Amino acid sequence: MLTMSAIAQDRISNIIAKVFEICPNGFKGVVAISIMSLIVLHFSIKAWGKSKTKAKIKRRGAKRLENVEKLRKRLDALSKNIDMTLTEIPFVELQRKLQTGELSCTEVILAFQAKALAVHDKCNCVTGFIVDAEDRARSLDKLNATERGPLHGIPLSMKEVVGVAGEDCTAGLSHFIDKIHPEYGVIMKVLIKQGAIPFARTNICQGQLGFVCSNPIYGVTSNPLDPSRTPGGSSGGEGALIGGGGSILGLACDMGGSIRIPCHFCGVCGIKPTANRMSGAENLEMGHGIVTIGEIFGPMGRDVDSLVAMMKAALVTEMFKLDPLLSQLFWRDELYSSNKPMKIGFFTCDGGVEPVPAIKRAVDMAKQALEARGHQVVAFTPMDVVSAVTDYGIGAILSDGGQMFDHVMHNEVIDPSISAILLLPKIPYSVRRILAKLLVFMVS
């Protein structure tokens, strides 16, 4: 049954009334029928488009379920040979045991697959498992010590927007379903060459537009520490999988907090590198032309050592050859390992939104820890964050007037978590500025 909002009904009534005012009496009946026919046609087309979208989503859900259950049956058959304690080994120790051959890549990947499946059953965090992960592990086990890369045998999970050969990247949008990537993204190619084993893809907020983790294709992901709470977004699936112990190292991306927020919510570590430091080439592209604010790819992991290992493995000549637009800044271990005191700035409020006491306390604890190590920690006042967001941030993202969002969101089933955000492109710029300042005033 076709329905329309009260606002739409009022607009249609006003249009019909105005048409009748200028229409000769003899043609009013014909005009009324024509208008109503067009209205019915419009809503019929819209309903048909939505039904196609829902059918695509249903097919994708069935494909995901088949993928998960196939792995479950495989692991059930091997359950007696799977050592789940391997998933509890700290990163540096796991890396050493794989390098020396004390552990095989195959037994490690089987353990992490089993653990990831258990975390997924609890949190709904995995969008799919990489089907050739076990084959890749067996191939790596055949290498001799001199052929092993720095990430030899390390299981690697990734946010669903990371390009995977033979798979699509949906970002929770039906628009991208079945748009298959012929090969892995550049950074994944490099990490695979360094020995990492891609094994799981993780859930995401629809369109990477929110701070929770939910979309109509893959559903809602919960926090592994407290299922009643969100793991954050948009890389919430990655945060949940790592936080639940189902992965030890992951690849995600961040524009406005998409790595940092899930890490904070799930109790794991992450880095948003400097722009043009890590390649985002051949991954999902939501649109073109946004150059002022970039989507930055970076690591998420169980500890700092895992993040350092990925940065070291990625910042090599191979990545700069595959993506010549990057700044050729290699990893410099002498800087990372240096004990030279640094001058570090900090603040507890950005001048926009007042943080909760726990956040201020965490910043103060970090300040004390740095000072205890001999670093100079200096308080400073950030720039006008509100103007930066309203004048430059939103302006950069919506420089096309929101046309890209309209194109991608056409006939989409919109997740409730981002419905309010999608109203933003439709609000005049002058009104957005007023609303932003009002919001800051209310929460300060």
Side-chain angles (χ1 to χ4, degrees):
M1 182 175 180
L2 299 177
T3 61
M4 65 182 78
S5 68
I7 295 176
Q9 292 177 17
D10 289 342
R11 287 179 178 175
I12 292 169
S13 298
N14 291 334
I15 291 171
I16 293 174
K18 289 180 180 179
V19 170
F20 278 7
E21 287 177 5
I22 62 174
C23 183
N25 290 334
F27 291 95
K28 287 184 178 180
V30 175
V31 171
I33 292 173
S34 299
I35 291 174
M36 292 307 299
S37 297
L38 290 173
I39 292 170
V40 170
L41 178 61
H42 168 76
F43 282 98
S44 296
I45 293 173
K46 194 169 183 179
W48 178 69
K50 280 291 178 67
S51 68
K52 287 185 64 179
T53 296
K54 291 178 180 178
K56 287 176 69 176
I57 290 174
K58 187 175 181 179
R59 288 196 301 271
R60 165 55 79 248
K63 181 179 178 182
R64 176 209 199 185
L65 182 61
E66 180 183 1
N67 171 273
V68 171
E69 291 308 312
K70 184 176 181 180
L71 178 65
R72 193 188 305 277
K73 289 180 181 179
R74 168 70 177 158
L75 295 175
D76 285 345
L78 297 171
S79 58
K80 293 182 180 179
N81 301 319
I82 298 176
D83 183 359
M84 296 297 288
T85 63
L86 299 182
T87 64
E88 301 170 7
I89 300 175
F91 182 86
V92 171
E93 185 180 350
L94 180 64
Q95 187 180 36
R96 179 186 62 78
K97 289 185 174 183
L98 285 166
Q99 287 287 340
T100 60
E102 185 177 342
L103 290 176
S104 73
C105 301
T106 303
E107 62 182 326
V108 170
I109 199 64
L110 288 173
F112 272 95
Q113 284 176 328
K115 183 65 175 180
L117 191 58
V119 177
H120 171 68
D121 289 342
K122 176 183 176 182
C123 301
N124 184 44
C125 55
V126 176
T127 63
F129 289 95
I130 307 298
V131 295
D132 66 351
E134 193 178 338
D135 290 338
R136 191 180 297 277
R138 283 195 291 267
S139 297
L140 289 172
D141 283 333
K142 297 176 183 178
L143 300 178
N144 60 49
T146 60
E147 297 174 308
R148 295 168 187 166
L151 296 180
H152 176 76
I154 296 293
L156 178 65
S157 54
M158 69 222 73
K159 188 175 181 177
E160 196 253 15
V161 298
V162 176
V164 172
E167 301 287 345
D168 55 18
C169 297
T170 71
L173 296 164
S174 68
H175 177 84
F176 295 108
I177 288 177
D178 294 334
K179 294 185 178 180
I180 304 300
H181 285 241
E183 53 189 349
Y184 279 94
V186 164
I187 190 169
M188 283 301 302
K189 290 177 183 175
V190 175
L191 296 175
I192 290 170
K193 189 170 183 179
Q194 297 284 50
I197 303 176
F199 80 103
R201 308 180 74 197
T202 52
N203 204 18
I204 183 176
C205 177
Q206 188 177 30
Q208 304 186 84
L209 293 174
F211 299 145
V212 297
C213 188
S214 175
N215 63 75
I217 301 175
Y218 301 116
V220 180
T221 297
S222 60
N223 193 305
L225 307 178
D226 182 351
S228 69
R229 298 177 184 270
T230 179
S234 62
S235 312
E238 200 61 39
L241 185 62
I242 297 171
S247 178
I248 197 166
L249 181 62
L251 177 64
C253 58
D254 188 316
M255 178 183 285
S258 290
I259 287 177
R260 293 162 288 170
I261 293 170
C263 285
H264 175 61
F265 284 15
C266 298
V268 300
C269 299
I271 296 176
K272 179 190 178 183
T274 306
N276 290 327
R277 191 91 157 110
M278 303 277 271
S279 177
E282 298 175 18
N283 298 317
L284 175 69
E285 291 186 352
M286 290 282 291
H288 301 281
I290 301 177
V291 295
T292 309
I293 302 177
E295 185 175 64
I296 315 298
F297 282 81
M300 294 175 66
R302 191 178 298 173
D303 52 33
V304 173
D305 290 326
S306 60
L307 310 182
V308 172
M310 180 184 285
M311 295 296 288
K312 281 184 177 181
L315 298 175
V316 294
T317 302
E318 178 73 12
M319 183 169 69
F320 302 130
K321 285 182 178 180
L322 292 172
D323 189 350
L325 297 179
L326 294 175
S327 301
Q328 292 197 31
L329 297 173
F330 296 90
W331 176 267
R332 296 178 62 184
D333 201 58
E334 70 275 14
L335 294 180
Y336 176 72
S337 304
S338 173
N339 292 320
K340 182 179 179 181
M342 295 184 289
K343 188 175 183 179
I344 302 168
F346 83 99
F347 58 88
T348 55
C349 181
D350 61 12
V353 178
E354 186 73 20
V356 298
I359 299 298
K360 291 184 177 181
R361 185 169 63 252
V363 173
D364 186 59
M365 290 171 64
K367 173 180 177 293
Q368 293 178 35
L370 290 168
E371 288 176 333
R373 296 195 174 198
H375 301 294
Q376 182 183 2
V377 186
V378 181
F380 77 98
T381 303
M383 61 182 290
D384 186 352
V385 173
V386 175
S387 293
V389 172
T390 57
D391 295 347
Y392 304 109
I394 294 174
I397 295 171
L398 300 177
S399 58
D400 64 349
Q403 290 184 30
M404 183 270 289
F405 282 111
D406 286 342
H407 172 66
V408 172
M409 294 295 178
H410 181 64
N411 283 331
E412 283 293 335
V413 176
I414 303 301
D415 193 88
S417 64
I418 67 164
S419 56
I421 297 174
L422 294 179
L423 293 175
L424 188 62
K426 301 175 183 179
I427 300 175
Y429 176 74
S430 57
V431 177
R432 289 204 302 266
R433 282 183 56 86
I434 296 172
L435 292 175
K437 293 184 182 298
L438 178 62
L439 180 62
V440 170
F441 175 76
M442 291 172 63
V443 299
S444 298

